[in-house]
Amino acid sequence: MKTIRTVEEYIKAAVATARFERIEDGRKVYAEIPGFQGVWAEGHTRQEAREQLREVLRGWIELLLERQYALPAVKGMRPNQFTFA
């Protein structure tokens, strides 16, 4: 199985699997990453929702690493052990 070497690679790969949906009569965009429980965001545009999703995911990753939980595979790729400086 291929590995992901950096946090940025992991975030990029995970966000690439995100699902987007128009909500609130089309005024907002909701985004979530399948398999990443609790990782979701919303924005007025798809790009804004994607940027928010990246920030939420970054915090989620930090929390899991702090608690020493394994990060899920993304597109069949497992992350190497990495930490935040």
Side-chain angles (χ1 to χ4, degrees):
M1 178 181 286
K2 185 177 176 180
T3 60
I4 298 171
R5 292 189 184 106
T6 68
V7 172
E8 284 307 313
E9 283 180 12
Y10 186 74
I11 291 171
K12 183 177 179 179
V15 170
T17 68
R19 287 191 233 157
F20 297 88
E21 177 184 344
R22 286 234 166 249
I23 60 172
E24 295 184 16
D25 294 326
R27 292 189 309 268
K28 287 190 175 181
V29 177
Y30 170 83
E32 67 181 4
I33 302 172
F36 287 65
Q37 185 176 350
V39 178
W40 64 273
E42 59 182 50
H44 293 287
T45 65
R46 187 178 176 116
Q47 182 60 32
E48 188 177 303
R50 181 180 287 114
E51 290 170 12
Q52 291 295 319
L53 190 62
R54 288 180 61 83
E55 292 305 312
V56 170
L57 178 58
R58 181 174 288 281
W60 186 83
I61 292 167
E62 289 176 0
L63 180 63
L64 264 62
L65 291 176
E66 180 181 294
R67 294 183 177 178
Q68 299 181 354
Y69 293 141
L71 296 173
V74 177
K75 296 182 181 179
M77 296 180 290
R78 285 263 174 223
N80 275 347
Q81 290 184 325
F82 40 68
T83 59
F84 286 84

